[in-house]
Every structure is written in structure tokens, then in C-alpha cells.
Amino acid sequence: MGKLSYILGRALRMDYGELFRTVGVVHGITGRNRPAVLADIVSCGLRYGAGFNDYLLCEFYNLTPEQRATYVTRSVNNTLVQMLNDPEYYKYFDYKSAFYSTFAEFIGREWLDFPAISKEQFAEFVKDKDAIIVKPNNGTGGKGVEKLTIADYKSIDMLFSKLKEDNIGVVEEVLKQHPGLNELNPYSVNTLRIVTIRNETGGHILYAHLRIGNGGRPVDNLHSGGMFAPIDLDTGRIQYPAYDKDRKTYEKHPMSGVTIQGMQIPLWEQAKELCLKASEVVPQMRYVGWDVAVTPERPVLVEGNNLPGYDILQMPPHTPDKIGMLPRFREFVDGI
């Protein structure tokens, strides 16, 4: 009943305009008639729990039934979260101030719980800084995250008032990223997404990607125009060209010209160790996507995600064998 209830719920909330737009896109790519494409999308939803975005982004129209069954879809990912994560502990991940406090030893930077501080405390914090990063206390996809230059404001009082009006949750110092990642794109902190899973034998790393900013924004999230590329877990090298949500492939970064495939992630072993240690702090959360920044000295946590994104797992340029990530999950989780 769980899968059926999920599918029925999705059907009721579905954006049918976007569904039919997707049908048109697939029709244009494949030449198949629209009713046949629509029927296949519906079939994949019922059989594999795949939404129409899964169908398009993972190119289900190019997969056999056997290949489709290996993919982590929206429904499969939700099932994993329900199996492995206790909702009572979401609060340590949903709110940035709670996350920073809980994982304090891994944060590696100065920060303020902005609603709880005075104007004097804020002035003391910014007095030796040229810029700060401000974030809402909750939210995803980099929404509301900004880099502010102190000199752009006539006074600290004005800046403080603006942040109050904007309901800012966290103020923090600007991270300096490792030169090896800065040359790729200096406009954002290009973070590692490292996903861990815990079972009876302890913590394990499922997969990892480098997320790369694009377009000059201070965030690297896919929903903000960023791109991503998978990292080989053993070597720490980027395995394939980068890819974005618009289904564009990047051999080189369009702004810096730096080649992406084959790039070595600095301090890779330390980054893996960081995430495995962090996975022990709240053991009730067994499936977490960690966002890690690599500074010149060490990797640090940016945030943790209790609903790890599944859509970057198995994009076409990164799955030349057309096999999804579900077999990898089954190495560590029974019953999926």
C-alpha cells in the first residue's frame, strides 16, 4: 500500500502542464508519437515509481525494462528515507543553526545564530571581515544564500536592520576554498556531495559528486545553475564530464576553461573520513547527503541533507552501461 499511496498522492499533486511539456520534449528527441510517450511515462510511474522528471533526466526512453529496474527513482528514494531516517531527528538537519551546533567540530568557521544576537555582537563579528555569507535558517537549493560585502552598506546598523528584515537565520564568515577547487570556479565554494549510509556494520560511503557553481552566483546548487560530476571513491578523481539540470554536458568549465574530467579532489581521504565521523553523531539518521567544502587546511561541513537528492545519481553521461544506482544501495540495505 505504501507505493500505491505514494503514486496516488503524486497523481493528485502533479503539475500536468509540466507533464505534457515533458511529453513534447521526449517526442522531439525520439520521434515517438505523444500518446505512446505519455503511456510509457505513466507505465514507468506505476512500475518503477519514476516521475516524469526521472523519465526525462535519466532517459528512460532509451532503457530496457531490466535497466529501468536498476534506477533509484523518486519513489525508491522516499522509501529509503522512510526506512533509514527517524523524523524525530530531522530538526538537526532542517535548521542550519541546529546543524551547526550539533556538528560544531566539523564546521570549521565562525558563525552566528543571527536571531539570537544583539547588534553589538554582530558589529563585533563583522569588524575584521570584508564580506559575510548569510543564509535563511531553513530552505534548500541555495535559496536565500547570499554573499554580502560590508563596504556596500553605509553602516553596520543598516546592514543589521536589513538582515532582520530578511529573516536571516545564520551569518558566517566566507570560506576560503582550496586552490585546486578555486581555479575551477572562484565565484562559489564548489562543494563535495558525499552520501553515507549506516547499517549493522557501521558507516559506508555510497557515492560522491563534485558540485560546481556556474554563472557567478555564490552557490553551487543545481537549482541555481550549477553542475555536477561523479567522483571515484577510491582515487578521488572526477570520472566523467560535468552535467547540469538542463541536460548540458561540460568537458571544461565555461567560465574558467579548466578541464573537469580527471581532476583530483584535494584532501579526498580526509573528506571521506569527515563524513564517516559525522554520520556517527546522530545515528538515528542513517542515510544523509553531506555537503563538504575543502579549505586549504581541511575539509569542513557546509550542511547535511536528510532527504539526499537522488536525481544526480545516474545521469546519462555518467552511466555508460545504463545501469542505475539501486544495486549499489542493495549492497548495504536489505528489502529494497
Side-chain angles (χ1 to χ4, degrees):
M1 283 298 294
K3 182 177 179 181
L4 178 59
S5 298
Y6 173 78
I7 292 171
L8 290 174
R10 289 292 302 167
L12 291 172
R13 299 188 301 272
M14 187 177 296
D15 182 341
Y16 285 94
E18 190 64 18
L19 167 62
F20 290 114
R21 187 197 72 82
T22 301
V23 169
V25 171
V26 176
H27 162 72
I29 294 170
T30 65
R32 299 171 190 165
N33 66 68
R34 285 178 170 82
V37 172
L38 178 60
D40 196 34
I41 290 175
V42 171
S43 174
C44 287
L46 294 172
R47 186 170 180 181
Y48 310 108
F52 56 80
N53 283 321
D54 297 337
Y55 187 93
L56 176 61
L57 290 174
C58 297
E59 296 185 359
F60 266 48
Y61 48 83
N62 282 334
L63 304 178
T64 67
E66 292 77 17
Q67 291 167 338
R68 290 173 172 181
T70 68
Y71 276 68
V72 176
T73 62
R74 181 188 291 266
S75 176
V76 171
N77 198 54
N78 285 351
T79 297
L80 284 162
V81 170
Q82 291 167 10
M83 289 174 60
L84 300 171
N85 291 345
D86 186 341
E88 290 294 320
Y89 295 86
Y90 283 10
K91 60 188 176 184
Y92 298 112
F93 295 83
D94 286 342
Y95 301 99
K96 289 182 175 60
S97 56
F99 179 82
Y100 286 17
S101 297
T102 303
F103 296 91
E105 67 175 293
F106 308 110
I107 298 302
R109 59 193 177 279
E110 295 180 345
W111 67 278
L112 295 175
D113 181 359
F114 186 71
I117 65 165
S118 66
K119 188 183 299 183
E120 290 73 24
Q121 288 171 309
F122 178 69
E124 180 68 20
F125 181 81
V126 301
K127 70 177 184 180
D128 59 349
K129 296 175 176 60
D130 296 324
I132 54 175
I133 298 293
V134 300
K135 301 176 180 179
N137 205 26
N138 56 6
T140 59
K143 185 177 181 180
V145 177
E146 297 292 343
K147 180 179 179 181
L148 303 180
T149 301
I150 306 299
D152 288 343
Y153 296 85
K154 292 182 178 179
S155 68
I156 299 302
D157 285 359
M158 289 183 63
L159 176 55
F160 184 82
S161 297
K162 170 188 164 46
L163 300 184
K164 285 292 184 184
E165 291 172 5
D166 292 345
N167 294 314
I168 290 302
V170 167
V171 176
E172 59 188 73
E173 68 173 311
V174 178
L175 276 172
K176 182 179 180 181
Q177 70 181 331
H178 193 284
L181 293 173
N182 199 62
E183 70 175 8
L184 183 59
N185 174 35
Y187 298 100
S188 72
V189 176
N190 306 296
T191 59
L192 316 179
R193 168 62 63 87
I194 301 177
V195 175
T196 59
I197 200 160
R198 295 190 65 81
N199 61 15
E200 62 280 358
T201 64
H204 308 273
I205 295 176
L206 277 171
Y207 63 90
H209 284 72
L210 175 65
R211 306 191 312 171
I212 309 164
N214 193 15
R217 282 211 62 199
V219 293
D220 59 4
N221 305 74
L222 303 185
H223 298 287
S224 300
M227 62 188 77
F228 59 97
I231 302 168
D232 182 274
L233 296 182
D234 293 325
T235 67
R237 290 192 178 275
I238 297 179
Q239 293 175 282
Y240 299 101
Y243 197 63
D244 70 11
K245 294 283 279 189
D246 292 327
R247 302 169 56 242
K248 295 178 182 176
T249 301
Y250 299 87
E251 302 283 343
K252 297 181 178 181
H253 194 284
M255 299 177 71
S256 68
V258 173
T259 300
I260 296 169
Q261 186 174 355
M263 180 179 176
Q264 176 67 50
I265 301 300
L267 306 180
W268 174 240
E269 291 300 322
Q270 294 94 317
K272 290 194 294 183
E273 182 181 3
L274 169 74
C275 293
L276 289 173
K277 286 183 176 178
S279 75
E280 299 172 358
V281 175
V282 186
Q284 296 85 355
M285 300 293 291
R286 296 167 54 201
Y287 173 37
V288 177
W290 307 97
D291 292 341
V292 177
V294 183
T295 74
E297 295 79 26
R298 66 179 179 118
V300 299
L301 288 183
V302 175
E303 65 180 25
N305 300 272
N306 55 21
L307 182 62
Y310 66 97
D311 48 358
I312 65 172
L313 305 185
Q314 50 221 337
M315 294 294 100
H318 305 153
T319 53
D321 57 2
K322 298 185 178 180
I323 300 298
M325 285 289 295
L326 192 53
R328 174 68 174 165
F329 279 83
R330 285 175 171 154
E331 294 177 25
F332 303 104
V333 183
D334 295 328
I336 58 170

